[in-house]
């Protein structure tokens, strides 16, 4: 009986390992290559933080089924990039960057790691970061995108069958650079009243690389396919635009990003 129990435990452990290995492609991984901070992103995790969208004239983009669509330069990856995490369990954490928000400990993650590595490999300079901190300090509370008003237009005459129509206008702010763009979108909060400013990094499909480091060829995504995006000196304006987007998105993001940039500067002294 005991033997069966032990075998069962072993089997469960193995199944768990296999499952974890299968889901590994969903992880955002950040590594250093010569002169680039290389980010690995999943192409087919349609419910996760990285989605494939088709460009649209309104800038919001249309989500697509990546394995059923030939992905060319009209498509882009919309990445809800993070910058902090409450523990050190992720491969994209920077344990050296530790800060407190509302009396909870946070560690630098994703964007923080990209900035940390980009500074060490001279893709951006300490002066870039000092200038950014100065500019973030000068933003007035009324200027945060989260404080922009969301208009709801309610029509005066009721629509067909007694239903009354109303239209919400949700603001979106986009900064475009030659190798990608960053957006701030106001979204309804999921578990509270009000709106929150979400920051998305948008990477055109013709800017991403296959696993061998060559430009990814047009075509539908393969199952569990991952791609690379390289942050280099050539596109450092995108990295600075992402930092600035968080700085103008909300008071909380502004404070967090100032703390993170301060810590990154401290660790390189
Ligand atoms: N907090 C951490 N990452 C965020 C993002 N991309 N948008 C909004 N809030 C965030």
């Amino acid at each position: 009986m005991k033997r069966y129990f032990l075998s069962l435990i072993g089997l469960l452990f193995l199944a768990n390992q296999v499952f974890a290995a299968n889901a590994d492609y969903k992880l955002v991984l950040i590594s250093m290559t010569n002169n680039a901070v290389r980010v690995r992103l999943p192409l087919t995790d349609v419910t996760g933080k990285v989605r494939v969208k088709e460009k649209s004239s309104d800038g919001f983009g249309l989500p697509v089924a990546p394995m059923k669509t030939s992905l060319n330069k009209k498509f882009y990856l919309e990445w809800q990039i993070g910058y902090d995490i409450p523990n050190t369990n992720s491969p994209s954490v920077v344990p050296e960057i530790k800060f407190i928000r509302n009396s909870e400990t946070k560690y630098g993650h994703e964007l923080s790691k990209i900035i940390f590595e980009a500074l060490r490999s001279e893709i951006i300079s300490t002066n870039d970061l000092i200038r950014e901190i100065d500019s973030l300090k000068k933003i007035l509370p009324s200027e945060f995108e989260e404080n922009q008003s969301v208009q709801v237009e309610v029509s005066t005459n009721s629509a067909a069958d007694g239903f009354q129509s109303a239209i919400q206008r949700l603001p979106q702010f986009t900064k475009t650079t030659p190798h990608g763009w960053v957006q701030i979108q106001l979204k309804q909060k999921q578990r509270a009243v009000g709106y929150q400013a979400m920051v998305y990094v948008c990477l055109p499909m013709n800017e991403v690389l296959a696993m061998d480091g060559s430009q990814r060829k047009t075509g539908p995504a393969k199952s569990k396919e991952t791609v690379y995006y390289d942050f280099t000196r050539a596109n450092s304006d995108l990295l600075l635009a992402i930092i600035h987007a968080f700085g103008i998105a909300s008071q909380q993001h502004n404070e967090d990003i100032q703390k993170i940039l301060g810590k990154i500067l401290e660790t390189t002294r």
Side-chain angles (χ1 to χ4, degrees):
M1 187 65 190
K2 194 169 158 200
R3 250 188 33 214
Y4 284 123
F5 184 67
L6 285 179
S7 322
L8 186 67
I9 297 277
L11 219 62
L12 285 175
F13 177 76
L14 271 178
N16 193 35
Q17 294 288 95
V18 168
F19 182 74
N22 273 333
D24 188 56
Y25 76 95
K26 293 185 181 182
L27 293 173
V28 170
L29 298 181
I30 297 158
S31 59
M32 285 305 307
T33 64
N34 31 347
N35 306 321
V37 180
R38 177 163 278 189
V39 184
R40 196 192 82 177
L41 299 163
L43 267 195
T44 60
D45 185 16
V46 291
T47 56
K49 303 253 164 144
V50 187
R51 294 179 186 199
V52 184
K53 286 189 157 184
E54 183 171 4
K55 292 181 189 172
S56 65
S57 51
D58 62 10
F60 286 94
L62 305 158
V64 300
M67 291 172 65
K68 295 187 182 139
T69 314
S70 181
L71 303 175
N72 56 35
K73 61 178 193 227
K74 292 187 191 143
F75 296 82
Y76 66 97
L77 284 180
E78 181 198 73
W79 175 24
Q80 191 192 320
I81 192 173
Y83 62 77
D84 68 349
I85 188 169
N87 52 55
T88 53
N89 300 341
S90 160
S92 300
V93 74
V94 201
E96 295 94 325
I97 303 172
K98 192 173 164 187
F99 65 101
I100 309 280
R101 182 204 301 141
N102 304 332
S103 64
E104 280 174 45
T105 303
K106 303 279 179 186
Y107 297 90
H109 189 228
E110 293 186 341
L111 177 62
S112 303
K113 180 158 181 174
I114 297 170
I115 305 168
F116 183 79
E117 300 290 359
L119 183 63
R120 292 207 303 184
S121 45
E122 298 182 6
I123 291 167
I124 54 170
S125 66
T126 52
N127 266 345
D128 288 331
L129 295 188
I130 292 167
R131 230 180 294 129
E132 190 57 37
I133 295 177
D134 280 345
S135 113
L136 294 187
K137 280 191 183 140
K138 291 192 185 123
I139 298 169
L140 302 171
S142 62
E143 291 177 306
F144 292 119
E145 309 302 24
E146 199 169 59
N147 300 337
Q148 302 291 317
S149 62
V150 174
Q151 296 170 8
V152 182
E153 286 174 26
V154 181
S155 68
T156 41
N157 34 5
S158 47
D161 304 327
F163 283 85
Q164 187 168 48
S165 72
I167 297 167
Q168 279 194 9
R169 292 171 186 273
L170 287 178
Q172 169 184 258
F173 309 87
T174 305
K175 174 96 175 208
T176 307
T177 76
H179 302 281
W181 65 99
V182 58
Q183 288 185 323
I184 306 165
Q185 291 177 4
L186 287 197
K187 299 241 155 124
Q188 215 125 31
K189 280 189 184 154
Q190 291 198 328
R191 275 180 280 276
V193 284
Y195 296 87
Q196 61 182 331
M198 300 303 300
V199 176
Y200 298 99
V201 176
C202 300
L203 307 170
M205 280 309 294
N206 57 321
E207 296 279 341
V208 304
L209 309 174
M211 284 300 101
D212 65 2
S214 66
Q215 191 186 356
R216 183 189 184 274
K217 300 203 174 50
T218 294
K222 304 238 164 59
S223 168
K224 297 179 188 166
E225 183 176 343
T226 54
V227 289
Y228 290 134
Y229 183 85
D230 280 354
F231 284 95
T232 63
R233 276 194 179 189
N235 58 20
S236 62
D237 49 352
L238 177 60
L239 183 52
L240 294 172
I242 300 167
I243 301 172
H244 201 70
F246 277 109
I248 64 172
S250 73
Q251 178 101 51
Q252 186 67 69
H253 289 137
N254 181 295
E255 285 169 19
D256 291 346
I257 292 294
Q258 285 194 49
K259 285 182 199 162
I260 289 169
L261 297 184
K263 292 275 172 183
I264 292 177
L265 286 172
E266 271 175 38
T267 58
T268 50
R269 251 185 233 136

